[in-house]
Amino acid sequence: MLELMPEVLERALHAFPGSEPLRTLDALHLASCAYLIERGQLVSLASYDQRMNSVAQSMEIPLFQLDKP
């Protein structure tokens, strides 16, 4: 759980990399990941949404990789 700090909300209001606009919750998730990473937390994004994954990679947010046995 992460409180939506003013810095996170402010970041979510600005443009993200890519040509398509993000949905509101996607922007909040990506802004939260960026906020945590900037503060030294180990974070990876788990999503099936290719648009969101593409933006995350552009922001250098690692994607969660499920290791198959």
Side-chain angles (χ1 to χ4, degrees):
M1 293 291 224
L2 176 67
E3 181 180 341
L4 290 177
M5 305 295 292
E7 298 90 352
V8 173
L9 296 173
E10 178 69 25
R11 175 59 187 100
L13 291 173
H14 295 288
F16 286 84
S19 58
E20 295 184 52
L22 289 174
R23 294 172 289 223
T24 301
L25 290 178
D26 293 346
L28 289 170
H29 281 106
L30 290 168
S32 296
C33 287
Y35 176 84
L36 291 171
I37 289 169
E38 289 168 3
R39 281 147 186 82
Q41 298 293 314
L42 296 177
V43 173
S44 59
L45 177 71
S47 175
Y48 288 112
D49 184 322
Q50 191 55 39
R51 177 177 40 184
M52 191 170 167
N53 287 339
S54 176
V55 173
Q57 288 178 314
S58 295
M59 295 174 67
E60 298 183 7
I61 295 172
L63 300 179
F64 177 76
Q65 299 295 321
L66 181 62
D67 294 329
K68 296 181 181 181

